[in-house]
Amino acid sequence: MLKYHKETQKNFSVRIVRWYRLNSRNLPWRENNDPYRVWLSEVMLQQTRVEQGLPYFQKFVKKFETIFKLASAQEDVVLRLWQGLGYYSRARNLHRCSKIIATELNGEFPASAKALQRLPGIGEYTAAAIASISFGEKVAVVDGNVFRVLSRYFGIEVPINSSEGKKVFSTLAQQQLNESPDPKLPPGEYNQGIMELGALVCTPRSPRCADCPVSAGCFAYNKNLIEDLPVKLAKAGKRERYLYYLMPIQGKSVWMKKRSQSDIWKGLYDFPCIESDSELKAAALKQKCKSMAGHGEVALLGSVTHLLTHQKLFIACLTMTGVNEVSLKKNFEGKWYTQKEVVRLPKPKVIDDLLKIYFKKISQGK
DNA sequence: AAGCCGGGGAG
DNA sequence: CTCCCAGGCTT
């Protein structure tokens, strides 16, 4: 660990809170400290930018005014509202969590980080966020912003995605709260302040050090190491998958199935799929489709490359009319859904895009 | 401890 | 193109 100046360290937390009070964005979940809204926003913002999550937050609080309304909703309805936000296990865990709180806890959130963390979808970060913001508990959050700000300010080279890094940075974050010169420093404002600073000023690239309230004491700023911190271990490469979707059509209905295995998009709906580790030739693919779903008319609807964090998906989608339902049912799960029903189903972004292409096509009379 | 899970915006 | 975002769960 690199050395830093202790006199500048001492006022870090106080400067952060002072800056936060003058520069915080006006965000809907900051209107009050209601744990339901704080929880909802924190789960939505896991690995997600504020701008991306914001419209979803508005939709959710409007549709589910209380945790009881969320708890009594169907999972498909929750997933459909979450559609497009990604990491769908968050939505499934959010729903599970709401049921526990509504039915077992009389609708009241546990008031400590330790108790909160026992709930599904609430890990160390989210537990600390809710406990500090809604209940004033003196517990520090450690998210991507905190890693970056602390790494730069204190000049710490330990990789932020290593086990040691997690320990080092959470200890350091908690120290700022415990050893603050202001014993009444509001933990929620300190936590939101350091994250807000990371989001608005101490950004991953081209940070706005001229606007930073703690630049004078910042190790990286003073040593001109801003671009070198934080340190991060290299990640594994992406797996490549070739997904060949067969979209069976019957009148105004489309055959879809729910993804239930522990794979991408669990809980969402897509079409029968033939997967391969390598590219399939058009002729071979067509042959395969016909053998699995009957000898109907096959046509290419579209093909796209879809990037996920860990996977690169090469996707092609074939429409098929005149399918043999017996053959289809033997090879694939699922059932027929009318166009109206299809719109209501929660679907991955790519599937939603493909359906839009198809529906547009048929509305123009092919 | 390492791998897995989405989608989008910035540079 | 790469990186990363108010992380958590599974193996």
Side-chain angles (χ1 to χ4, degrees):
Chain A
M1 191 185 300
L2 302 174
K3 292 297 170 194
Y4 50 82
H5 302 290
K6 292 216 164 165
E7 53 275 15
T8 55
Q9 179 205 9
K10 283 211 297 199
N11 287 321
F12 180 79
S13 58
V14 173
R15 287 178 185 275
I16 293 287
V17 169
R18 191 185 305 148
W19 175 86
Y20 177 68
R21 287 178 174 164
L22 295 172
N23 297 282
S24 63
R25 286 168 290 182
N26 212 339
L27 298 169
W29 49 85
R30 288 178 178 162
E31 286 170 12
N32 56 50
N33 291 332
D34 174 10
Y36 174 58
R37 294 167 66 94
V38 172
W39 165 68
L40 190 56
S41 69
E42 292 300 342
V43 173
M44 280 184 172
L45 295 178
Q46 287 166 8
Q47 293 292 283
T48 305
R49 284 200 187 69
V50 165
E51 312 85 68
Q52 190 185 358
L54 202 138
Y56 286 85
F57 178 83
Q58 305 282 32
K59 282 195 296 182
F60 267 74
V61 291
K62 187 172 179 186
K63 178 121 180 160
F64 307 117
E65 249 184 308
T66 67
I67 195 162
F68 295 102
K69 291 200 174 178
L70 177 58
S72 60
Q74 291 292 314
E75 184 180 280
D76 274 6
V77 173
V78 177
L79 281 170
R80 180 62 183 82
L81 210 58
W82 196 275
Q83 179 177 304
L85 196 54
Y87 287 134
Y88 298 95
S89 68
R90 292 185 295 171
R92 289 184 281 110
N93 284 330
L94 185 86
H95 192 217
R96 274 212 293 153
C97 185
S98 73
K99 286 174 177 282
I100 294 171
I101 293 176
T103 63
E104 297 176 23
L105 301 177
N106 200 25
E108 287 174 24
F109 279 78
S112 73
K114 194 176 173 186
L116 283 162
Q117 204 178 331
R118 294 193 202 105
L119 295 165
I122 299 183
E124 203 172 332
Y125 163 79
T126 305
I130 300 170
S132 63
I133 297 170
S134 294
F135 302 110
E137 185 177 344
K138 198 194 270 188
V139 53
V141 298
V142 185
D143 75 331
N145 293 303
V146 176
F147 277 122
R148 188 170 57 255
V149 172
L150 293 180
S151 163
R152 286 174 175 166
Y153 186 81
F154 292 106
I156 295 170
E157 298 176 294
V158 182
I160 59 174
N161 56 343
S162 65
S163 305
E164 190 194 351
K166 279 201 75 170
K167 275 191 280 185
V168 168
F169 285 99
S170 61
T171 301
L172 194 54
Q174 190 62 39
Q175 265 178 24
Q176 305 316 307
L177 271 181
N178 294 344
E179 298 169 14
S180 172
D182 178 3
K184 295 201 303 283
L185 189 88
E189 289 189 67
Y190 165 72
N191 282 334
Q192 294 188 80
I194 190 169
M195 292 192 283
E196 192 83 337
L197 186 73
L200 300 181
V201 176
C202 195
T203 50
R205 275 161 303 186
S206 311
R208 300 162 176 79
C209 296
D211 300 325
C212 180
V214 293
S215 63
C218 177
F219 182 95
Y221 177 68
N222 289 315
K223 302 280 184 184
N224 201 18
L225 290 171
I226 282 291
E227 300 294 339
D228 302 314
L229 291 171
V231 175
K232 197 169 181 180
L233 264 35
K235 53 169 167 60
K238 289 187 190 210
R239 172 161 67 124
E240 297 192 344
R241 297 169 74 173
Y242 294 81
L243 304 183
Y244 296 100
Y245 278 116
L246 179 61
M247 188 195 299
I249 312 286
Q250 189 175 75
K252 292 220 168 213
S253 292
V254 179
W255 183 281
M256 298 192 76
K257 62 167 181 41
K258 186 166 186 155
R259 299 179 67 90
S260 55
Q261 289 139 356
S262 51
D263 190 3
I264 55 174
W265 303 323
K266 182 176 176 185
L268 277 59
Y269 291 75
D270 63 359
F271 314 117
C273 185
I274 297 165
E275 178 162 0
S276 165
D277 294 331
S278 57
E279 191 173 357
L280 292 183
K281 299 287 182 195
L285 181 62
K286 236 172 175 173
Q287 179 60 33
K288 213 161 183 137
C289 286
K290 290 186 180 238
S291 71
M292 294 180 90
H295 294 69
E297 285 293 311
V298 178
L300 179 66
L301 180 66
S303 58
V304 288
T305 303
H306 192 72
L307 294 172
L308 304 180
T309 305
H310 295 279
Q311 300 183 16
K312 185 171 186 179
L313 308 177
F314 300 97
I315 294 173
C317 184
L318 306 173
T319 56
M320 186 174 194
T321 53
V323 301
N324 179 330
E325 191 168 327
V326 176
S327 171
L328 182 65
K329 207 171 255 177
K330 195 158 57 186
N331 292 298
F332 301 105
E333 303 286 302
K335 69 188 236 358
W336 295 109
Y337 292 93
T338 65
Q339 179 171 348
K340 201 167 179 179
E341 290 170 330
V342 165
V343 172
R344 283 281 155 207
L345 295 177
K347 302 167 287 290
K349 172 81 164 59
V350 199
I351 301 300
D352 198 52
D353 288 345
L354 288 167
L355 282 164
K356 279 176 182 158
I357 293 172
Y358 173 68
F359 288 138
K360 185 175 178 182
K361 211 169 188 172
I362 59 168
S363 75
Q364 294 169 345
K366 295 185 179 176

